[in-house]
């Protein structure tokens, strides 16, 4: 696998893996609940690494990047299943934020 990968390439690779190694996609509701599980695993690491909770023995050795990648994987599965082009969705989302929030954060007294 090459070092850099676009969102489009990643979606295609996830789709190819699912259709060959994974046999088929889980249904959308199952993938949505898996996504929530993965977010919970990331939250667990974050709360122990950057928050005040201590690590349990079973938490040690967990990789923050791997947990984030698990979230991306399931999100790409959902995007593939529902026909969402994540590259286009992200482009539109950035455009929306640049218009909507042009001065919002600059004018937020809490951020100064």
């Amino acid at each position: 696998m090459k070092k850099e990968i676009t969102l489009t390439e990643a979606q295609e690779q996830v789709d190819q893996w699912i259709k060959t190694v994974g046999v088929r996609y889980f249904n959308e509701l199952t993938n949505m609940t898996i996504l929530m599980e993965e977010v919970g695993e990331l939250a667990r690491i974050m709360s122990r690494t950057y928050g005040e909770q201590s690590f349990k023995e079973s938490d040690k050795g967990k990789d923050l990047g791997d947990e984030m990648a698990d979230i991306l994987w399931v999100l790409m599965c959902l995007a593939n299943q529902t026909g969402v082009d994540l590259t286009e969705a992200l482009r539109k989302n950035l455009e929306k934020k640049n218009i909507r929030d042009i001065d919002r954060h600059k004018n937020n007294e809490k951020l100064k």
Side-chain angles (χ1 to χ4, degrees):
M1 190 180 330
K2 68 182 187 176
K3 187 174 181 176
E4 293 184 18
I5 184 170
T6 67
L7 284 172
T8 300
E9 291 169 333
Q11 276 189 256
E12 290 169 355
Q13 287 183 19
V14 166
D15 187 60
Q16 186 61 32
W17 188 93
I18 292 292
K19 290 176 177 175
T20 56
V21 179
V23 180
R24 67 170 178 80
Y25 284 94
F26 295 127
N27 69 43
E28 294 85 351
L29 183 56
T30 299
N31 273 336
M32 187 66 207
T33 57
I34 292 170
L35 179 62
M36 295 302 99
E37 289 176 1
E38 296 298 347
V39 169
E41 291 177 17
L42 175 63
R44 185 178 192 95
I45 293 173
M46 293 294 292
S47 69
R48 283 153 176 75
T49 303
Y50 301 101
E52 297 171 343
Q53 284 193 318
S54 60
F55 279 89
K56 294 179 183 176
E57 198 59 40
S58 61
D59 296 329
K60 293 180 180 175
K62 299 280 183 169
D63 180 83
L64 189 63
D66 187 54
E67 296 303 331
M68 289 181 181
D70 284 343
I71 291 168
L72 279 174
W73 177 276
V74 181
L75 187 62
M76 287 183 198
C77 287
L78 285 166
N80 288 345
Q81 289 175 279
T82 58
V84 172
D85 176 341
L86 287 173
T87 299
E88 183 63 14
L90 182 58
R91 186 196 61 73
K92 286 180 180 177
N93 191 271
L94 288 168
E95 184 178 297
K96 174 186 76 175
K97 284 175 174 44
N98 281 325
I99 293 168
R100 180 190 68 196
D101 299 332
I102 190 92
D103 292 318
R104 178 175 167 221
H105 300 296
K106 291 178 199 170
N107 295 330
N108 183 346
E109 290 299 319
K110 294 178 185 178
L111 298 177
K112 294 183 182 200

